[in-house]
Amino acid sequence: MPAIRPASKRKPPPDGFSDIEEDLLIFANKMKDAQNTPTDNIPKHQAQWPIFQIAHQRSRYVYELYYQKQAISKQLYDWLLKNGYADAMLIAKWKKQGYEKLCCLRCIQTKETNFNSTCICRVPRAQLKEDQDIQCVNCGCRGCASTD
Amino acid sequence: MVKSTYQPSSSALPPLPPGWTEHIAPTGHKYYYNAETKESTYKRPGVTPTPPPPPPAAVPAAPVAVPGALPTAMPAAVPAIGPAAVPVSGYVPPLSTLNLSDPAVANAFMAQYRAQSQPQQLFGGAKPVEKPQPKPRPQPKDKPKSKVAIPGCEPWVLVYTKYGRRFVYNPVKNASYWRIPEKLMPAILEMDKERIRKKAEGDQEGGKKEEEEEKEKETSRAPEDSKQSEKRKESEAPSEQPPQRDYDSSEYEEVEVTDDEDEAADQQDQSGPPEFTEADIATQLALMNAEYGEQGDYEAGEEGQWEEGDEGLPLSEEDARALFKDLLNDFHINPYSPWEKLMEEGKIFDDARYTVLPTTKARKEVWEEWSREKIAQLKEQRAKQEKQDPRIAFLAFLQEKATPKLYWPEFKRKYRKEGPMRDTSLSDKEREKFYREHINRLKMPQSQLKTDLKKLLQSVPLSQLNNQTLSSHLPSQVLADIRYISLPPEVRDPLIEAYIKELGPPPEASENAEDEAARQAREERRKRHEKALQERERAVAEEKKRQERKLQIERERLREEERELERAMHVSKKGLQTQLLGDQMVKEDREKMETD
């Protein structure tokens, strides 16, 4: 692991970071809280749901700022990816047709499932039974098919 | 909409005898305590041993009920009785036997009521059953307040009571009904509309709402209902009325009253109908509007329309969008923030403009558009703004906060949240350097600092600092210098002003001077160019000469060879002999010469 440089010796982030700094801080705090909440009394598979959800939200935030609102520069976007503010692999999926709303990468990992299929949350609502409420095991997603 | 006419009887109750105090038990019941005798009771002690005053009208004989305890103990049950029981089934339960102070009974009653009542869109207070009961004295009494002849149905008059309810009365037959007979219904509706229209000029918004009601009423209500809305008891304090909007939302009271019950009231009415002025109506309408404001359970979209649309027309799509964007602007929403944050904070929910768009999806769409526009705007603005030297802000900050008492790490920790300390364009090292230098300079004598400042000012060219420079707009060259902040402002500013006054005007020649410099530079460049050219020429000439010489030598050599060839070609008739002889002779000659 590379040494963590002190703040005084770190390169300053690219321009425009100050605009989004506050919101990123909120996300970071949320994430910390989620990590520190005890998971004793919740089902084991649900323990990581909030982590996934916050990671998704934060990635989505960065993705939208760069690709949809053109609010941040390429340099800043790269810097954010490099510094772990967003999940580059997830964003890569979002750019593909059919994956625009993908909740997490685990939900499309077919090799990890018994029948080599994707997660239930990838099934379009139209193909589910009426009023079938689902919440996927991986990240607690309630449905992330593009057509929903 | 009619408020309950029920009043907690405490106001009507006789005052407590001395020594007694009133308290509220954790259950909400009131009880009375005598500190001297250490006696406590639920029953209200009176000076005279009067029986406890009967509970409010709806529950005429609640055996266990402690007066005053009723509204808190079962607030919802009371108002619901009337509309539920009477009109729907047509069966009037013997209220006197119904003990509604018992929660179980009340609940059962409510369940029955809810099953019967139809879902209605209208909002409004529930109607308590309020029968004018002549007998119990401390009972709040509803009195007729004004009467209006119903046009078209001559003998009938419409009587408004003190508490804002109304009934129809036929003086000929001496009959009165809470429930308005069907034959009178159209005429009364007509009257209502007329009155509302009159009101509409004075109180637009209120009028609109009523019209809205009117429409809904006409579509959804059964015709036999009678309207009971606008009037309301003004004196009734909100705290005194039991919460009563939960169950019934009807505007028309559906209570039938028998004649004899009403007679006393009617007679009073006839004896002297009090004035019911415009002002009264106005205040009541105002009250009603307030009531509307409190209630959040009606259709979301409509409020915005009332707020903004003049005629209650639905807003156009664009207007709604513009309104929502206005809302976002007004609340200073950060365009960079995510939508989730906006929703979590919930600041904008309370604004009426929030509801101009019907769905959250539409709102999000508009928000996205807005944030995109806003960000583009911000970008443009920033591009226009000239870049300010980050040192200026930091130095100004230093001048304000730095003291020799704090070391740099302490200073840094203390002010780490300040803007200039967090600015990333200035590195921490630089900041530290500035701080240390500044602190060191603070220890120097003032005279030294003054001369330093003078030097700094003198170093600035006249084109930047002259007698037309405002002291508030010094060139950044000055502001970003550590010498500028060493003196406290009260000493420094007069000094600088004095210096500026001494200076000459902004040199017109400054441009010339610049030109001069430029020309000089150009000249120099030309000279250099020429020199280079000459050198090159010389070099070329030399090269040429060398080449020529080479060429001559070559030519010489060529000629020599040619000559030799020519000589060789000159062969006489003697042939080779002579040639050889010649050679021999030459040889001999040489030998001779050698021997010589």
Side-chain angles (χ1 to χ4, degrees):
Chain A
M1 193 179 150
I4 295 172
R5 295 169 190 280
S8 56
K9 303 223 169 88
R10 242 175 274 162
K11 232 203 249 174
D15 282 346
F17 182 68
S18 54
D19 292 330
I20 56 171
E21 195 174 10
E22 205 174 295
D23 295 319
L24 289 174
L25 193 70
I26 291 174
F27 277 125
N29 288 342
K30 259 194 210 164
M31 184 63 108
K32 260 185 215 163
D33 287 348
Q35 284 164 342
N36 291 330
T37 41
T39 54
D40 309 333
N41 48 0
I42 52 171
K44 198 177 172 189
H45 70 281
Q46 291 182 10
Q48 290 181 330
W49 285 5
I51 310 281
F52 273 102
Q53 281 157 7
I54 294 166
H56 171 94
Q57 279 176 12
R58 185 161 59 180
S59 296
R60 195 82 202 176
Y61 173 61
V62 172
Y63 170 79
E64 278 175 3
L65 278 183
Y66 183 62
Y67 285 104
Q68 294 180 0
K69 294 182 188 165
Q70 283 87 31
I72 56 176
S73 63
K74 170 84 175 146
Q75 288 92 330
L76 180 55
Y77 176 68
D78 288 341
W79 186 89
L80 289 174
L81 289 188
K82 189 187 155 200
N83 285 275
Y85 286 99
D87 185 351
M89 305 298 275
L90 190 57
I91 290 180
K93 293 287 173 228
W94 288 339
K95 292 191 240 174
K96 288 171 72 180
Q97 192 181 18
Y99 293 87
E100 289 93 345
K101 293 180 190 167
L102 180 65
C103 58
C104 70
L105 287 172
R106 227 193 245 184
C107 286
I108 50 165
Q109 181 57 272
T110 53
K111 284 175 193 160
E112 285 177 6
T113 54
N114 281 344
F115 294 101
N116 284 339
S117 61
T118 55
C119 180
I120 183 75
C121 66
R122 299 294 302 151
V123 181
R125 222 166 260 293
Q127 291 180 30
L128 290 171
K129 278 176 225 149
E130 278 293 300
D131 300 332
Q132 189 180 359
D133 253 351
I134 48 140
Q135 203 164 11
C136 88
V137 186
N138 296 324
C139 59
C141 172
R142 293 178 189 276
C144 57
S146 307
T147 52
D148 287 350
Chain B
M1 201 161 18
V2 170
K3 288 278 167 100
S4 165
T5 51
Y6 165 73
Q7 264 187 330
S9 41
S10 60
S11 58
L13 286 171
L16 290 166
W20 287 92
T21 48
E22 189 182 291
H23 303 276
I24 295 176
T27 56
H29 289 70
K30 278 187 185 146
Y31 69 94
Y32 304 90
Y33 177 66
N34 192 335
E36 288 161 27
T37 59
K38 299 234 175 348
E39 188 186 348
S40 63
T41 173
Y42 279 128
K43 288 196 176 169
R44 188 180 179 87
V47 186
T48 53
T50 46
V59 204
V64 207
V66 182
L70 196 61
T72 44
M74 32 158 311
V78 180
I81 303 163
V86 188
V88 184
S89 56
Y91 156 72
V92 185
L95 286 178
S96 50
T97 62
L98 201 58
N99 177 12
L100 283 165
S101 64
D102 180 356
V105 177
N107 285 342
F109 194 84
M110 280 316 303
Q112 188 198 2
Y113 160 65
R114 284 204 208 164
Q116 287 170 347
S117 65
Q118 298 144 344
Q120 282 163 341
Q121 280 208 321
L122 277 187
F123 24 84
K127 297 312 129 348
V129 158
E130 186 63 23
K131 297 180 185 177
Q133 281 187 343
K135 259 166 269 165
R137 265 306 100 189
Q139 184 68 22
K141 270 189 67 177
D142 206 351
K143 288 180 193 164
K145 200 167 181 197
S146 65
K147 63 174 180 182
V148 189
I150 301 171
C153 320
E154 266 344 309
W156 291 91
V157 287
L158 186 65
V159 181
Y160 290 99
T161 68
K162 182 179 153 201
Y163 290 161
R165 301 174 310 139
R166 63 186 186 176
F167 56 87
V168 288
Y169 174 61
N170 189 341
V172 176
K173 286 190 218 158
N174 199 17
S176 56
Y177 300 104
W178 284 115
R179 174 186 291 175
I180 293 167
E182 279 181 40
K183 55 176 183 174
L184 299 180
M185 201 59 189
I188 287 178
L189 276 176
E190 206 46 51
M191 278 170 64
D192 284 346
K193 275 188 203 159
E194 188 54 43
R195 196 195 40 211
I196 286 161
R197 227 167 280 136
K198 259 192 251 163
K199 276 280 51 131
E201 286 101 49
D203 190 344
Q204 273 251 347
E205 201 177 327
K208 231 175 291 155
K209 279 175 186 173
E210 284 192 29
E211 256 164 28
E212 193 79 36
E213 274 166 35
E214 200 75 27
K215 273 177 225 149
E216 281 179 55
K217 253 176 260 157
E218 275 166 12
T219 53
S220 66
R221 294 322 247 64
E224 79 260 37
D225 294 344
S226 79
K227 192 179 179 206
Q228 285 281 345
S229 73
E230 289 73 39
K231 308 292 154 53
R232 170 180 321 151
K233 194 185 77 178
E234 294 110 306
S235 61
E236 204 171 39
S239 60
E240 282 176 349
Q241 28 173 313
Q244 50 170 328
R245 354 196 133 100
D246 304 345
Y247 303 106
D248 187 10
S249 53
S250 79
E251 289 284 322
Y252 291 94
E253 188 160 354
E254 301 168 340
V255 184
E256 202 164 14
V257 192
T258 54
D259 286 2
D260 49 5
E261 266 180 337
D262 231 20
E263 240 164 20
D266 286 353
Q267 276 151 18
Q268 271 183 6
D269 178 34
Q270 280 163 346
S271 62
E275 279 290 310
F276 195 78
T277 60
E278 277 292 293
D280 256 340
I281 296 176
T283 51
Q284 272 154 7
L285 278 170
L287 265 175
M288 218 166 73
N289 289 344
E291 181 94 348
Y292 273 104
E294 287 162 21
Q295 292 180 336
D297 54 349
Y298 47 93
E299 267 309 310
E302 286 171 11
E303 194 186 338
Q305 288 170 17
W306 282 334
E307 286 281 313
E308 309 295 340
D310 250 352
E311 304 301 323
L313 288 171
L315 283 171
S316 75
E317 175 85 11
E318 284 152 39
D319 286 350
R321 286 170 152 256
L323 264 178
F324 193 73
K325 282 180 190 172
D326 259 7
L327 164 71
L328 291 171
N329 278 329
D330 287 354
F331 276 81
H332 301 294
I333 304 296
N334 182 1
Y336 290 97
S337 294
W339 172 251
E340 285 85 18
K341 190 183 163 201
L342 192 65
M343 291 291 101
E344 269 169 34
E345 284 180 348
K347 278 193 290 189
I348 59 168
F349 291 163
D350 296 332
D351 198 285
R353 284 170 292 179
Y354 181 72
T355 52
V356 290
L357 291 167
T359 59
T360 308
K361 205 174 179 184
R363 281 177 209 133
K364 189 175 180 189
E365 216 170 84
V366 176
W367 167 81
E368 248 166 39
E369 196 186 306
W370 169 83
S371 64
R372 206 167 297 161
E373 282 166 15
K374 192 93 182 168
I375 286 170
Q377 223 177 32
L378 277 178
K379 253 188 192 169
E380 225 169 84
Q381 236 176 40
R382 266 174 219 171
K384 266 185 212 163
Q385 249 177 18
E386 52 188 310
K387 261 228 147 141
Q388 209 203 12
D389 197 338
R391 284 179 298 174
I392 295 175
F394 180 68
L395 286 178
F397 177 72
L398 270 192
Q399 171 147 48
E400 198 183 328
K401 305 278 176 168
T403 65
K405 286 177 193 163
L406 289 179
Y407 289 118
W408 165 245
E410 291 165 329
F411 179 81
K412 197 169 96 175
R413 201 180 315 130
K414 187 170 178 188
Y415 296 109
R416 66 176 184 276
K417 281 184 181 156
E418 304 280 337
M421 293 294 283
R422 295 171 65 194
D423 189 5
T424 48
S425 50
L426 206 62
S427 79
D428 225 28
K429 255 183 196 167
E430 270 178 285
R431 269 191 217 121
E432 183 174 354
K433 218 177 85 191
F434 274 126
Y435 182 79
R436 289 187 191 283
E437 200 180 339
H438 178 58
I439 296 299
N440 283 338
R441 289 182 62 81
L442 284 183
K443 290 170 192 159
M444 280 156 61
Q446 275 223 338
S447 55
Q448 171 79 37
L449 294 178
K450 278 178 189 169
T451 51
D452 275 354
L453 182 63
K454 201 145 233 172
K455 259 186 218 160
L456 165 67
L457 292 175
Q458 277 161 0
S459 71
V460 181
L462 198 62
S463 52
Q464 283 189 46
L465 188 66
N466 47 55
N467 62 1
Q468 285 177 14
T469 316
L470 295 171
S471 51
S472 53
H473 289 82
L474 291 171
S476 58
Q477 195 185 340
V478 177
L479 291 178
D481 200 292
I482 190 94
R483 287 174 283 181
Y484 175 73
I485 61 159
S486 302
L487 282 167
E490 54 269 23
V491 182
R492 177 193 65 194
D493 288 347
L495 263 182
I496 291 180
E497 261 171 54
Y499 178 79
I500 285 176
K501 265 178 204 161
E502 279 173 22
L503 284 174
E508 292 294 329
S510 69
E511 278 177 45
N512 294 349
E514 252 173 51
D515 272 0
E516 195 93 4
R519 208 185 309 138
Q520 266 181 9
R522 226 178 303 136
E523 198 101 330
E524 208 161 288
R525 215 180 313 139
R526 213 189 56 215
K527 267 184 199 162
R528 234 183 306 137
H529 189 79
E530 272 173 16
K531 211 166 143 194
L533 209 67
Q534 278 173 0
E535 230 158 79
R536 177 73 193 149
E537 266 171 11
R538 217 184 314 137
V540 169
E542 240 167 63
E543 183 78 0
K544 226 179 189 173
K545 252 185 236 168
R546 218 183 307 140
Q547 291 265 7
E548 265 172 22
R549 221 179 295 143
K550 224 184 196 172
L551 209 67
Q552 257 177 347
I553 294 167
E554 292 291 311
R555 236 177 257 151
E556 278 301 300
R557 204 178 286 159
L558 203 67
R559 243 175 262 152
E560 193 93 348
E561 276 175 21
E562 268 175 11
R563 247 179 274 141
E564 238 169 74
L565 266 178
E566 225 170 291
R567 245 187 285 142
M569 296 293 272
H570 277 289
V571 182
S572 59
K573 281 182 183 163
K574 286 170 189 170
L576 255 177
Q577 216 174 354
T578 53
Q579 193 87 5
L580 291 173
L581 271 177
D583 281 349
Q584 249 178 2
M585 282 174 74
V586 171
K587 266 183 203 167
E588 280 167 10
D589 284 352
R590 272 187 203 157
E591 279 166 16
K592 258 184 201 169
M593 278 167 80
E594 277 170 15
T595 51
D596 287 342

